[in-house]
Amino acid sequence: MVKSSAPLLRSLMRVGKKQQRSAARLLTALFAPPKPAPKVRAKPKPKPAATATPKPAPKPRSACAPKPKPAARAAPASLAKDAPAPGKWLTARYAGQAGHVLRQMSYWLYLPDGAAPPSGWPLIVMLHGCEQSATQFAQGTRMNQTAQKAGYAVLYPQQSLGAHPHRCWKWYDRATQQGGGDVPVIVGMISQVLAAYGLDRSRVFIGGMSAGAGMANIVALNHPELFAGLGLHSGPLYGAGHSTVGALGVMQHGNGARVDSAIAEVLERRPGFPSMPTILIQGEDDRVVRLVNQAHLRRQAMLVNDLPPATPVRVAQKAGGRSGLPYQLHDVYRGRKLILRVAQIAQLQHAWSGGDARLSFNSAAGPDASKMLVDFFGKHRR
């Protein structure tokens, strides 16, 4: 370990036992040497998820489960909170170019039960965090159940173990931040799914948790014309890091020097940048990706959406209710349109709010973050 990282590591580990375990695992994930990506001799023809032969999906036994088996069409279930959503649960593999390398990436797709609207189902793209698989992320967030009720398809790309041994998205990599790395693979996958299932191209949204939130932000900033909204849960600010030690610095302290300049570079690359409605969700007691990151992301969202610093903010205090954790909503409007929502949840650590606590990085306490995302996305279209 290089000497410059020592203060950051000490700071990261001065937390409670539960956060120590989370921090230690993410620390290991960040500093783990990547495995060499397998060579692909010829570009295979991508097969849409519709052709996948479904098999029963195993329940994850831990937060670091082996590669999941192909998922199956979920059987009709009761309305219990943890019952499988009654739609189709499909899996496939996408092959696409990442720089000079042909990359293959697995994905899972949830399609709601029932007839699709004439324009097709809207789509939410969900990117998991480090030490998670796509199926674990789906189970932990309960997004499929929420999507079934609201009428959304959900796409879960899965980072490969060849790209990173702990399935971390490289949100801190400079080339990835500029639209390289896994970005074209994820965008190609989205395009394939949109075409294969006739989904609504005017209502495509992207979100994620932790490293997945950092990656979702990068994809949206590099392809704003594709997305009608963005949802980030416990994510790092955009445009900083550029190394594993630098990533740790961002997670702990943000990077005030890069808040404005990183967005200025995006707007210079993409003149006429369209509006990007954004919801930011963060736990006030997060010691892995600290709350300063949400403050920096808020400033970046204001810049992206050309909202003056003096734009009025509507603040609402929400009681914990049955969730047990009170929270605040900070809403910014352009006219009557909600452009930016910032949710700060008291006592929440580095975990998906209102998730399935049987899986790591999920908290049963707190408002239902999946419902918050879907409610926000429902107000927007491209």
Side-chain angles (χ1 to χ4, degrees), residues 161-221:
L161 292 172
H164 195 283
H166 296 273
R167 299 197 192 279
C168 294
W169 304 101
K170 297 180 182 179
W171 58 268
Y172 51 87
D173 177 65
R174 189 188 301 271
T176 300
Q177 291 171 3
Q178 295 174 352
D182 290 320
V183 174
V185 180
I186 295 172
V187 170
M189 179 190 300
I190 295 170
S191 298
Q192 175 176 293
V193 169
L194 288 173
Y197 296 97
L199 304 179
D200 188 347
R201 295 177 181 270
S202 71
R203 293 186 294 165
V204 180
F205 308 92
I206 189 168
M209 163 77 183
S210 192
M215 193 65 188
N217 198 12
I218 289 171
V219 175
L221 290 174

Side-chain angles (χ1 to χ4, degrees), residues 124 143 146 150 152 203-207 227-232 275-281 301 305 307 329-333 337-343 368-381:
I124 300 174
M143 181 57 87
T146 303
Y152 283 76
R203 293 186 294 165
V204 180
F205 308 92
I206 189 168
F227 302 102
L230 172 65
L232 309 179
S275 175
M276 182 61 68
T278 302
I279 178 171
L280 307 172
I281 303 173
N305 288 288
L307 295 167
L329 294 179
H330 300 248
D331 290 344
V332 181
Y333 286 78
K337 186 175 182 180
L338 177 61
I339 299 296
L340 174 62
R341 168 163 285 177
V342 180
D368 187 336
S370 294
K371 186 177 185 302
M372 292 175 74
L373 259 63
V374 169
D375 289 348
F376 180 82
F377 293 156
K379 303 177 187 295
H380 304 284
R381 66 173 59 235

